[in-house]
Amino acid sequence: MRAISEGLRLESNGEIRSTNISPGAVATELTTTITDKDTAAGINQLYAIAIDADAIARAIAYAIEQPGDVDVNEMIIRPTRQEL
């Protein structure tokens, strides 16, 4: 994904901005759909520290709100206590 995004940025001569956002554990309904009990237990433990989806929305808004001469290329957003 990074290579595609960077290629697009370079080939557009500054007319297209691209941002790769890599979220960590985000509180969603995804964990409620896991049917394997062992997997669900492990995921629920990881997602106990999950950040709110609004944090990702704010990051997207930040990237979009930058002036035309600024390109936010990459963001990694995760809970401060997330180890993975």
Side-chain angles (χ1 to χ4, degrees):
M1 197 68 201
R2 185 181 297 150
I4 293 170
S5 178
E6 186 64 9
L8 178 64
R9 184 187 72 81
L10 291 172
E11 291 180 14
S12 74
N13 292 325
E15 293 182 26
I16 297 175
R17 298 185 301 174
S18 63
T19 304
N20 294 329
I21 298 179
S22 302
V26 178
T28 68
E29 70 282 352
L30 176 65
T31 59
T32 63
T33 63
I34 299 171
T35 56
D36 182 74
K37 292 180 181 182
D38 292 335
T39 302
I43 293 297
N44 285 332
Q45 184 178 4
L46 171 66
Y47 277 71
I49 61 165
I51 58 176
D52 197 47
D54 285 344
I56 305 303
R58 286 191 306 272
I60 293 168
Y62 172 82
I64 292 171
E65 292 170 350
Q66 297 311 300
D69 62 341
V70 174
D71 188 9
V72 178
N73 296 124
E74 192 166 357
M75 293 182 178
I76 299 174
I77 305 161
R78 59 181 162 223
T80 54
R81 294 181 11 215
Q82 182 174 330
E83 294 180 14
L84 299 174

